[in-house]
Amino acid sequence: MTLPEKVLLLREFIADGDRNGLVGEIAEPHPADAAEALGLLEPEEIARFVEMVGTADALQVFEFLPFETQKEALKHLDRPTLAHLMNTMSPDDRADLVEELDDEFQERLLSLLLRHERENVLRLIKYPDDTAGAHMTTDYAILRPDSDVQTALEQVRLQAATKETIYYIYVVDAARRLQGLVSLRDLIVARRHSRVGDIMSKQVISVKADEDIEDVAKLSSRYDFLAVPVLDDSGRMLGIITFDDLYDVITEEATEDMYHLANLDTDEKIDSPLLRSVKLRLPWLLSNLGTCLVPAYVVSLFSGTIQDAVALASLMLIVASLGGNAGNQSLTVVVRAMALGQINMAQNRRVLTKQVAIGMFNGVIAGLVIACIAFFWFGNPWLGLIVWLALVGNLIIAGLFGAMVPIVLRRLKLDPALGSSIFVTTATDVGGYSIFLSLAVLVLPHLTGTLP
Amino acid sequence: MTLPEKVLLLREFIADGDRNGLVGEIAEPHPADAAEALGLLEPEEIARFVEMVGTADALQVFEFLPFETQKEALKHLDRPTLAHLMNTMSPDDRADLVEELDDEFQERLLSLLLRHERENVLRLIKYPDDTAGAHMTTDYAILRPDSDVQTALEQVRLQAATKETIYYIYVVDAARRLQGLVSLRDLIVARRHSRVGDIMSKQVISVKADEDIEDVAKLSSRYDFLAVPVLDDSGRMLGIITFDDLYDVITEEATEDMYHLANLDTDEKIDSPLLRSVKLRLPWLLSNLGTCLVPAYVVSLFSGTIQDAVALASLMLIVASLGGNAGNQSLTVVVRAMALGQINMAQNRRVLTKQVAIGMFNGVIAGLVIACIAFFWFGNPWLGLIVWLALVGNLIIAGLFGAMVPIVLRRLKLDPALGSSIFVTTATDVGGYSIFLSLAVLVLPHLTGTLP
C-alpha cells in the first residue's frame, strides 16, 4: 500500500468510526508507517483516531508523530482522553512535547497530570537540550541486589509493559543508588537461585545529567551499549538514555557539523518554507560579505600593479581558490576527528604541525603545475615563479588556519565547526592575494605589459 | 587509571605470565578500554595475552582491536590458539578480518577452520562492502512457531551464549524461511503455554543481502530496531545486522559525505602518515586547479576592461565569493536531505525551484548591501548597479547548481556529494566573473578611470 492509499484508508476508517479497521493498521508493518500516514491528516482526525483506538494502542503511533503534529492534535482531544494520554506517554517524549507548548496550554496539560507525573515533567524539562538529562527517560527497569534470579525474572516480567527497555536492568539500593547492571541475557542464562548481586556487573559506565549528549553518544557507540544510566552527584539513578535516542543524536550531530561547515543554520530543513530558508541563510551570507571585503580591499591596494600586468588578475584567482580548497580539507579532517573523539587537546600541536606540512608539500607540487601553466599561458617565467611561491605560502596558511580555527573554537568552548569555513577562507583569500601581489610588486619590471 | 598506566600494567602482567592479573583487567570498566590499551602493545605481546587468558575471554577484547592490529597479532599466535580463536570469533567480525589479509595468510587461516565455519567465511566475504550481506552476522537466535513459550525460553537460554543477540528471536520454518519475530520481552510477558506462532509479529521488516547498507541504517533508525534480518530471494534467513554495526554505518556515512563535500578521500584519517595525506589530497587539489582555470580564463578575456576600471578586480571577488558560499549552502542542504532519505527523485523539480528562489531573494538583499558599499567605496553608482545585478544572477546560479549537481549525480547512481563542491564553485566563479564583467563592458564609459 502506498502512502496516499494508507492516508485515504485511515481517513475513511476514522470517518466511519471503524475502530477495528484502525487497530488493524496500527502495526502493519510498523507503527512508524501508520504515523507517517496519520501525520498527513487534519489535527481533528488525529484526535478522533486517538479517542477511537484508545490511548494504549494510539500511543504506539502517536509517539512517532512530529511534535508540531502532536501539539495540534492534542488541542482537539476530549479531556479524559487527553488526561489519560499525557499520563501514559513515555516520560522523555512527554517532556520534549510539553517543552514545545505555549505557556497557557502547558499549564493546562500539567494540571491534567497526576502529581508524580507532573513532577517528573517539571524535572525533565529543566535540563538544557544538549544534555544527557534532556534525553533520558525515567521508565527503566530496576532490581534489588539480594533478589534471587527466579524472583528477579518475575519482577522484570511485571515491569516489562511499562519500561522503555528490560534488556538492561539496573540494580539499585533502597536509596536508588546504582549498584550494578544485569542484562536480561545474564538473567536468562544464570542459575535460578543465584543472587542478582553476584551476577551483576559492578563497574557500570554511567553519565551525569548535565553531561553533553554528544559525549554520551560517543560513549555508547564505543561500547555498543543499548542504554546508558544517568546518575546524580550522589550516585542515585535519574534515568536512562536508550540507543534509539542516541541514533538520533549521532545523526543530528553530523548534520550540525555539515551545516556549520557550509554556513547554514541548523534550524533549516529541506522542507522549510521558502522565506524561512532565505531568512536563515542571509546572516551567513552577510557575514561572508563582511569578511570578503578584506581580500577585496587587499586587491584594491594593488590596483596599480594589476593595471600594469593584468595577467595577475587571472592568476591570483587560482592561488586563492586552491588555498580555499586546501583550507577546507584541513578544516574538515580536524572538525570530524574532534566530533568522533579522535583528538584531544593535548594533540593540538601535532595536528597543527601536520596540517601545515601537508599544505607545504601539496603547495610545492600543485604550485609546480600551475607555474608551468602560467609560463606557457603568458610566456613569462617570472609569473611562473611568483605563482609557485605564492601557492606554497597560501597552502601553508590553509593548513595553519584549517587546523587552528577549530582548535581555537574548541578552546573557547564553541562548536569547532561554527562559522569556521568563513575564517579559513578569509585567511586563504587574504593570504593568496597579498602574497601573490606583493611578490608581483617585487618583480614588476619583468611583468609589465604582460597581456593574455 | 590513565591509558599509559593501563598499557604498562598489561605489559607487566604479560611479561610476568600473570594470568589472573590480566583476566581482572579485561572487563574493567569495559573490554573496549582494555582493547585500547592492548592495541598499543607489540603484536607479540598481544599474541601472548590471547594465549594466556584463553580465547573465550580474550575474544571480548580482541574484537575491539583495529583490523591492522588483529592481523599482526594473529601472525604471532601458536597454531592451536589461532585455530580456536578463528573458530570461535563472531562470524561478521571474522569475515571482515579475513578479507583484510593477504592471500597466503588467508589461505592458512581458512585451512584452520572447521568446514562449516570456512564455508561461512567464504559466503560472507563475497558480499561487496557496502551491502547488507557484508555487515550481517550469522549468529542469530531462532525458534519454531509451534514451540510453546516455556520451551521457547529454554531454547533461547541454550542459544544465549553463542548468539549476537537474543533480544530479537527469529521464528523460522524447517527451511529457515522467516515466519515471524518475537522479542525476548514478548516471550517474558507471554503466558507460558502460548504458542510462539501466536504471539509473534508476522509482518517482519527485512532486507535483501545485496541491499545498500546505508538504506538498512535508515530503516533501522526509522523504526528503532535492535536488529534487521537479512533474507535471500526465497525468504530464507541469511543473517541479521545489529544496531551497533548500524551505529558505525551511520557515522561512516556522515564522515563520507562531509569528506566528499570538502574534496577529501575517505581513506584519509586524522592519524594517517603525512605523505599518505599529501598523496590523498593532491588529486583533488589538481582537479580544482583544472576547473579554476576556467574562471581564470574568463577573467583574462576581460583584461582590457579591468585595466580601464581596476576597481572591478576587487568587486568581482565579492560576487564570486558570495556565490560560492550560497552554492555550498544549497548543496549541503540537498546532500544531507538525500542522505537522510528526506527527498526522493519525484521531488527533484520542487527542490531545484526552491533553491533557485532562495538564491534570488538572498541575491536581491545581499546585492543591495554590496551595491551600497561599492557606491560609497568607489563613489560610482554604476558600479553599485552592476554589482547588484551580478550578485542576483550569481546567487540564482548558486541555487541552481547547488541543487542540480547532487540531483544529477544521484541520477547517474553516483554519490551526490562526490566532487560536487568543485562543480558548484566552478559554476559560481564562472557565473560571477562573467556576469559582472560583461555588465561592466556595457557601462564601461561610466566606469573608466574608477580607482580605489
Side-chain angles (χ1 to χ4, degrees):
Chain A
M1 196 177 344
T2 66
L3 183 60
E5 285 166 6
K6 186 137 185 156
V7 172
L8 287 179
L9 189 68
L10 289 179
R11 174 161 283 164
E12 210 169 286
F13 284 148
I14 292 169
D16 297 350
D18 183 348
R19 180 177 188 279
N20 290 340
L22 285 176
V23 171
E25 288 303 314
I26 287 177
E28 298 305 331
H30 192 278
D33 298 305
E36 193 177 15
L38 197 65
L40 296 173
L41 298 181
E42 297 300 319
E44 293 86 345
E45 292 173 306
I46 303 176
R48 290 287 300 131
F49 165 87
V50 176
E51 289 161 13
M52 279 166 63
V53 305
T55 46
D57 283 336
L59 264 181
Q60 288 179 54
V61 181
F62 193 77
E63 298 195 330
F64 278 102
L65 292 172
F67 287 136
E68 225 20 72
T69 317
Q70 291 186 351
K71 210 160 81 179
E72 289 310 309
L74 287 187
K75 294 185 179 157
H76 296 88
L77 278 180
D78 62 45
R79 203 185 142 92
T81 313
L82 183 59
H84 195 245
L85 185 81
M86 295 308 294
N87 277 294
T88 44
M89 264 186 96
S90 73
D92 51 343
D93 291 342
R94 180 176 57 195
D96 291 344
L97 172 60
V98 169
E99 215 180 337
E100 298 281 315
L101 303 175
D102 55 66
D103 289 352
E104 194 193 314
F105 195 41
Q106 197 178 77
E107 277 303 313
R108 208 182 117 213
L109 277 192
L110 287 173
S111 73
L112 291 173
L113 290 176
L114 301 173
R115 194 171 133 215
H116 70 275
E117 300 287 354
R118 183 165 56 238
E119 281 163 4
N120 183 302
V121 171
L122 293 174
R123 200 164 53 239
L124 287 180
I125 62 176
K126 74 167 201 281
Y127 294 109
D129 278 352
D130 57 349
T131 61
H135 290 76
M136 71 187 182
T137 178
T138 48
D139 276 346
Y140 52 90
I142 54 167
L143 286 173
R144 284 300 167 77
D146 46 12
S147 306
D148 63 38
V149 167
Q150 177 83 44
T151 320
L153 276 170
E154 201 40 54
Q155 285 166 345
V156 170
R157 191 182 167 170
L158 293 172
Q159 298 180 64
T162 55
K163 302 305 176 190
E164 187 105 358
T165 183
I166 55 161
Y167 300 140
Y168 282 5
I169 308 143
Y170 299 88
V171 185
V172 295
D173 65 12
R176 283 228 166 200
R177 272 188 302 260
L178 183 62
Q179 307 290 303
L181 169 71
V182 276
S183 67
L184 187 53
R185 187 199 284 244
D186 297 335
L187 277 185
I188 293 273
V189 300
R191 261 177 277 223
R192 291 288 174 263
H193 45 266
S194 307
R195 273 180 65 259
V196 167
D198 295 330
I199 63 163
M200 69 186 187
S201 320
K202 290 187 189 70
Q203 289 246 11
V204 185
I205 293 169
S206 63
V207 298
K208 293 280 160 64
D210 57 2
E211 202 147 323
D212 187 335
I213 188 66
E214 288 172 19
D215 292 334
V216 183
K218 268 178 231 165
L219 197 75
S220 163
S221 102
R222 173 183 164 106
Y223 295 127
D224 299 342
F225 286 147
L226 277 177
V228 182
V230 184
L231 306 186
D232 70 10
D233 289 329
S234 58
R236 258 190 301 263
M237 283 212 51
L238 295 172
I240 62 168
I241 307 172
T242 50
F243 79 99
D244 48 318
D245 292 323
L246 294 172
Y247 257 152
D248 300 339
V249 170
I250 292 176
T251 307
E252 280 163 23
E253 155 63 4
T255 304
E256 188 182 299
D257 275 352
M258 270 187 232
Y259 271 37
H260 284 169
L261 285 172
N263 306 321
L264 282 164
D265 192 291
T266 46
D267 283 343
E268 182 166 348
K269 305 281 171 287
I270 186 71
D271 51 3
S272 298
L274 175 62
L275 289 181
R276 181 154 173 78
S277 296
V278 169
K279 203 179 124 196
L280 289 171
R281 290 190 197 179
L282 192 60
W284 288 103
L285 290 173
L286 293 180
S287 1
N288 184 228
L289 175 55
T291 54
C292 76
L293 286 175
V294 184
Y297 175 72
V298 169
V299 169
S300 77
L301 295 178
F302 292 91
S303 53
T305 317
I306 293 174
Q307 266 182 324
D308 287 344
V310 78
L312 299 173
S314 300
L315 285 176
M316 69 181 188
L317 301 181
I318 302 180
V319 176
S321 173
L322 259 75
N325 198 336
N328 259 319
Q329 288 181 328
S330 289
L331 177 62
T332 301
V333 166
V334 174
V335 163
R336 191 61 182 153
M338 285 179 174
L340 297 177
Q342 292 166 343
I343 41 176
N344 55 44
M345 302 275 190
Q347 291 161 303
N348 284 346
R349 184 184 296 262
R350 218 176 60 199
V351 168
L352 202 87
T353 319
K354 190 184 149 195
Q355 296 305 319
V356 169
I358 296 175
M360 198 186 63
F361 279 104
N362 274 332
V364 170
I365 308 171
L368 266 179
V369 177
I370 172 179
C372 295
I373 294 174
F375 176 64
F376 286 110
W377 188 358
F378 300 102
N380 183 324
W382 290 95
L383 260 185
L385 179 68
I386 61 169
V387 83
W388 186 35
L389 293 176
L391 199 76
V392 175
N394 203 23
L395 260 55
I396 290 176
I397 292 177
L400 181 67
F401 279 80
M404 201 178 64
V405 169
I407 287 174
V408 170
L409 286 172
R410 183 161 72 159
R411 270 275 158 85
L412 299 174
K413 301 208 181 303
L414 295 170
D415 178 345
L418 189 66
S420 49
S421 69
I422 288 190
F423 286 112
V424 174
T425 319
T426 305
T428 53
D429 277 355
V430 172
Y433 297 133
S434 57
I435 299 177
F436 179 59
L437 294 172
S438 305
L439 290 171
V441 170
L442 288 179
V443 297
L444 195 60
H446 303 284
L447 302 176
T448 311
T450 308
L451 268 178
Chain B
M1 199 177 341
T2 66
L3 183 61
E5 284 167 7
K6 186 137 187 155
V7 172
L8 288 179
L9 189 70
L10 289 178
R11 174 161 281 160
E12 209 168 286
F13 284 147
I14 293 169
D16 296 350
D18 182 348
R19 179 177 188 281
N20 290 340
L22 285 176
V23 171
E25 288 304 314
I26 287 177
E28 298 304 330
H30 192 278
D33 297 306
E36 192 177 15
L38 196 66
L40 297 173
L41 298 181
E42 297 300 318
E44 294 85 344
E45 291 173 306
I46 302 176
R48 291 284 302 128
F49 165 86
V50 175
E51 289 160 14
M52 279 168 61
V53 305
T55 47
D57 283 337
L59 263 180
Q60 290 179 53
V61 181
F62 192 78
E63 298 195 331
F64 278 101
L65 292 171
F67 287 135
E68 232 12 78
T69 316
Q70 291 185 351
K71 209 160 83 180
E72 290 310 309
L74 288 187
K75 294 183 179 156
H76 295 88
L77 278 180
D78 62 45
R79 202 184 142 92
T81 312
L82 183 59
H84 195 245
L85 185 81
M86 294 308 294
N87 278 294
T88 45
M89 263 185 98
S90 73
D92 52 342
D93 291 342
R94 179 175 60 194
D96 291 344
L97 172 60
V98 169
E99 214 182 337
E100 297 282 313
L101 303 174
D102 55 67
D103 289 352
E104 195 193 313
F105 195 42
Q106 195 179 80
E107 277 304 312
R108 208 183 117 214
L109 276 193
L110 287 173
S111 73
L112 290 174
L113 290 176
L114 302 173
R115 194 170 133 216
H116 68 275
E117 300 287 354
R118 183 164 58 238
E119 282 163 3
N120 183 301
V121 170
L122 293 173
R123 201 165 52 238
L124 287 180
I125 62 177
K126 73 165 203 283
Y127 293 109
D129 277 352
D130 56 351
T131 62
H135 289 79
M136 72 188 181
T137 178
T138 49
D139 276 346
Y140 52 91
I142 54 168
L143 285 173
R144 285 300 168 76
D146 46 12
S147 306
D148 62 37
V149 167
Q150 176 84 45
T151 321
L153 276 170
E154 199 40 53
Q155 285 167 345
V156 170
R157 190 181 168 170
L158 293 172
Q159 298 179 64
T162 56
K163 303 307 176 190
E164 187 104 358
T165 182
I166 54 160
Y167 299 139
Y168 281 6
I169 310 143
Y170 298 89
V171 185
V172 296
D173 66 12
R176 283 230 166 199
R177 272 189 301 261
L178 184 62
Q179 307 290 304
L181 169 72
V182 276
S183 68
L184 187 52
R185 186 199 283 244
D186 298 334
L187 277 185
I188 292 271
V189 299
R191 262 178 276 224
R192 290 286 171 264
H193 45 269
S194 306
R195 275 179 66 257
V196 167
D198 296 328
I199 63 162
M200 71 186 186
S201 321
K202 291 187 186 73
Q203 289 245 12
V204 186
I205 293 168
S206 63
V207 298
K208 293 281 159 62
D210 57 3
E211 201 148 324
D212 187 333
I213 187 66
E214 290 172 19
D215 292 334
V216 183
K218 268 177 231 166
L219 198 74
S220 163
S221 99
R222 172 182 165 104
Y223 295 126
D224 299 342
F225 287 147
L226 276 176
V228 181
V230 183
L231 308 184
D232 70 11
D233 288 330
S234 58
R236 259 191 299 264
M237 281 211 55
L238 295 171
I240 61 168
I241 307 173
T242 49
F243 78 99
D244 48 318
D245 292 322
L246 293 172
Y247 257 152
D248 299 340
V249 170
I250 291 176
T251 307
E252 280 163 23
E253 155 64 4
T255 303
E256 189 182 298
D257 276 350
M258 270 187 233
Y259 271 37
H260 284 168
L261 286 173
N263 305 320
L264 282 164
D265 194 291
T266 45
D267 284 343
E268 181 166 348
K269 305 278 172 287
I270 186 73
D271 52 2
S272 297
L274 177 62
L275 289 180
R276 182 155 172 76
S277 295
V278 169
K279 204 178 125 197
L280 288 171
R281 290 191 197 179
L282 193 60
W284 290 103
L285 290 173
L286 293 179
S287 358
N288 184 228
L289 175 54
T291 55
C292 75
L293 286 175
V294 184
Y297 175 71
V298 169
V299 168
S300 76
L301 295 179
F302 292 91
S303 53
T305 317
I306 292 174
Q307 264 181 326
D308 287 344
V310 77
L312 299 173
S314 299
L315 285 177
M316 70 182 188
L317 302 179
I318 301 179
V319 176
S321 172
L322 258 75
N325 199 335
N328 260 319
Q329 288 181 328
S330 289
L331 177 63
T332 301
V333 166
V334 174
V335 163
R336 190 60 181 154
M338 285 178 173
L340 298 177
Q342 293 166 341
I343 41 177
N344 55 44
M345 301 275 191
Q347 291 162 304
N348 284 346
R349 183 184 297 262
R350 218 177 59 199
V351 168
L352 202 85
T353 318
K354 188 183 150 195
Q355 296 304 319
V356 169
I358 296 175
M360 198 186 64
F361 279 104
N362 274 331
V364 170
I365 307 172
L368 266 180
V369 176
I370 171 179
C372 295
I373 294 174
F375 175 64
F376 286 109
W377 188 357
F378 299 104
N380 183 324
W382 291 96
L383 260 184
L385 180 67
I386 61 170
V387 83
W388 186 34
L389 293 176
L391 199 76
V392 175
N394 203 23
L395 259 55
I396 290 176
I397 292 177
L400 180 68
F401 279 79
M404 201 177 63
V405 169
I407 287 174
V408 170
L409 287 172
R410 183 161 73 158
R411 271 276 157 83
L412 299 173
K413 302 210 180 301
L414 294 169
D415 179 345
L418 189 67
S420 50
S421 69
I422 289 189
F423 287 112
V424 174
T425 319
T426 306
T428 53
D429 277 355
V430 171
Y433 298 132
S434 57
I435 297 176
F436 180 60
L437 294 172
S438 304
L439 289 171
V441 169
L442 288 179
V443 298
L444 194 59
H446 303 286
L447 303 176
T448 311
T450 309
L451 267 176

